[in-house]
Amino acid sequence: MSDSSSTSNPDADADTETTEGERKQQAATEAARGEDEARRRLTRTKSGESIVVDFVANFVAGGSGTFDPLKGRVLMSEQRLILATSDSKTVVPLTSIFDVAVGQVPPEVEQFFDHTVMVGYVVNGVQRTTVVGGDRETIEKFSLILYRATLHGSTVALKHPAKIGGRFQEESIREVGLHLDTDCVAFPGTEELTIGDGVFEIDLGSVVFFEVLERTIEDEPRLVLSVQHVTQTQTVTTEVSMSSRRKMNILGRYLRQMYHYLASDVRDIDLSDDALEVLVGLYSAGTAASGVDLAALLDVDESVLDDHLETLDDNGLIESIDPPHELTPQAQFLINERFEDINF
């Protein structure tokens, strides 16, 4: 009797463990629910605007009256940028922003920051600047969101192609949309310019030259962004303009900044001549690369080709070591820079 009463019941132990596991799961679920609720409270301003940016940083706010960096929260909605500390708040309407410059800092504060974005804006007719500092990844992400927000909903006058090679084209100007990404500029409403259902876009890795020109469009002088870029078979020029000079300035800043990021990333890559030859072979094969015997084309063993493909993948130059081996914008930039004298 005493032995049987002291023997544990496996089913009872299992029930106890299950109950304890359920308690832990319920506690985790409630904690997650609480975090989600807190996050939801932070995603809207008092006026009901959605918050798209919220991080802690050091900054010099245009309204602070001092060049000493302050630590606080950087928030942004679809309508305004807010720099807040426990003692002050600087509010910058996005429509008042005329410049977004990454890495360009007034000398009074450059000693305080490694990576920065400077925002130029106007308050009551007076130009002001605000500088936000952080690590490179944070500044890159923040600046891209800021570029997008200031140009959101913009319509552009697009002429494509304006030139093929050096020959001017008689293409009409289209009123289309604008969308910015880290590696391209896309133009919603241009499906007829592409094969398939996609919209026309300029891959920043394919850009070889760009400049701002003054042109007369619809009987008014406008700034025109002229972008020369390489397709698989030729060099073309696309022209983009907006009636707002403020927005044209920001678009030009965006293009220069993203182009700079690509250039700085690519120039740190050290490829052997053989690996570079494989990269050029992939570029030359284009969309047909998946159906081409690259080893035979490049006269190398399969094992050697695999090693080179792995090197290209490790350096972020191809999307995958498996076919079709699509090139990244960094790869296209590298090819354009090193082989710009090739007659495409």
Side-chain angles (χ1 to χ4, degrees):
M1 294 285 290
S2 61
D3 288 341
S4 63
S5 62
S6 63
T7 302
S8 63
N9 185 338
D11 291 336
D13 289 345
D15 289 342
T16 301
E17 291 175 1
T18 301
T19 303
E20 183 63 26
E22 289 175 348
R23 287 197 197 99
K24 290 182 178 179
Q25 180 62 41
Q26 183 177 359
T29 301
E30 290 176 355
R33 190 178 296 122
E35 290 176 2
D36 288 342
E37 181 60 31
R39 202 174 288 116
R40 276 193 293 271
R41 286 197 298 267
L42 287 173
T43 56
R44 291 191 177 275
T45 65
K46 291 181 180 179
S47 59
E49 300 168 37
S50 295
I51 296 295
V52 295
V53 168
D54 185 356
F55 64 98
V56 176
N58 292 318
F59 51 77
V60 175
S64 67
T66 176
F67 287 122
D68 294 330
L70 306 172
K71 187 170 185 177
R73 289 175 67 187
V74 179
L75 305 101
M76 192 172 76
S77 70
E78 301 97 329
Q79 299 181 29
R80 68 203 78 212
L81 172 67
I82 303 170
L83 306 174
T85 71
S86 57
D87 301 320
S88 65
K89 182 170 70 173
T90 299
V91 180
V92 181
L94 297 186
T95 53
S96 72
I97 295 175
F98 64 86
D99 199 6
V100 178
V102 180
Q104 297 188 19
V105 188
E108 296 88 347
V109 297
E110 61 183 357
Q111 60 179 314
F112 301 115
F113 303 110
D114 292 326
H115 300 280
T116 61
V117 56
M118 182 175 69
V119 181
Y121 60 103
V122 177
V123 176
N124 297 324
V126 179
Q127 291 188 0
R128 295 179 177 270
T129 58
T130 281
V131 180
V132 178
D135 59 77
R136 174 173 168 172
E137 182 180 3
T138 298
I139 293 302
E140 283 186 16
K141 290 180 178 179
F142 173 51
S143 61
L144 176 60
I145 295 172
L146 192 53
Y147 284 126
R148 282 177 174 170
T150 53
L151 296 175
H152 178 71
S154 296
T155 298
V156 302
L158 176 76
K159 185 174 183 179
H160 175 80
K163 286 195 294 186
I164 297 179
R167 301 185 303 276
F168 287 93
Q169 303 298 303
E170 295 299 326
E171 290 291 332
S172 58
I173 296 176
R174 300 171 171 84
E175 294 289 329
V176 299
L178 177 69
H179 177 74
L180 308 183
D181 210 334
T182 52
D183 54 14
C184 71
V185 184
F187 302 93
T190 55
E191 288 80 1
E192 78 280 3
L193 295 177
T194 65
I195 299 174
D197 298 329
V199 301
F200 169 67
E201 60 184 37
I202 298 176
D203 188 329
L204 299 186
S206 70
V207 174
V208 293
F209 181 73
F210 55 89
E211 61 181 334
V212 177
L213 307 170
E214 186 93 32
R215 294 276 174 81
T216 299
I217 299 177
E218 296 178 351
D219 298 325
E220 67 175 32
R222 279 196 191 183
L223 295 180
V224 175
L225 185 62
S226 176
V227 185
Q228 186 180 1
H229 51 110
V230 178
T231 67
Q232 198 65 41
T233 58
Q234 58 195 355
T235 301
V236 300
T237 299
T238 301
E239 293 185 350
V240 182
S241 69
M242 288 182 279
S243 58
S244 169
R245 286 182 172 250
R246 177 183 70 85
K247 290 187 175 183
M248 280 296 296
N249 181 61
I250 294 172
L251 178 60
R253 284 287 200 188
Y254 156 80
L255 189 62
R256 284 189 289 271
Q257 189 56 50
M258 297 302 124
Y259 188 82
H260 169 73
Y261 284 148
L262 277 174
S264 60
D265 287 343
V266 165
R267 286 163 187 160
D268 290 336
I269 297 175
D270 185 18
L271 281 186
S272 68
D273 291 341
D274 290 340
L276 190 58
E277 185 177 350
V278 171
L279 185 64
V280 174
L282 292 172
Y283 177 83
S284 300
T287 55
S290 58
V292 173
D293 186 345
L294 287 173
L297 177 67
L298 299 171
D299 193 24
V300 297
D301 293 336
E302 287 284 353
S303 60
V304 174
L305 176 62
D306 289 342
D307 288 342
H308 289 321
L309 289 173
E310 188 170 339
T311 297
L312 297 176
D313 184 54
D314 289 342
N315 282 281
L317 298 174
I318 56 176
E319 298 291 353
S320 170
I321 59 175
D322 299 320
H325 312 301
E326 292 185 16
L327 272 60
T328 64
Q330 287 80 2
Q332 296 194 45
F333 185 94
L334 180 63
I335 290 172
N336 293 339
E337 186 175 66
R338 297 198 182 182
F339 300 97
E340 60 184 4
D341 56 339
I342 292 178
N343 182 12
F344 290 100

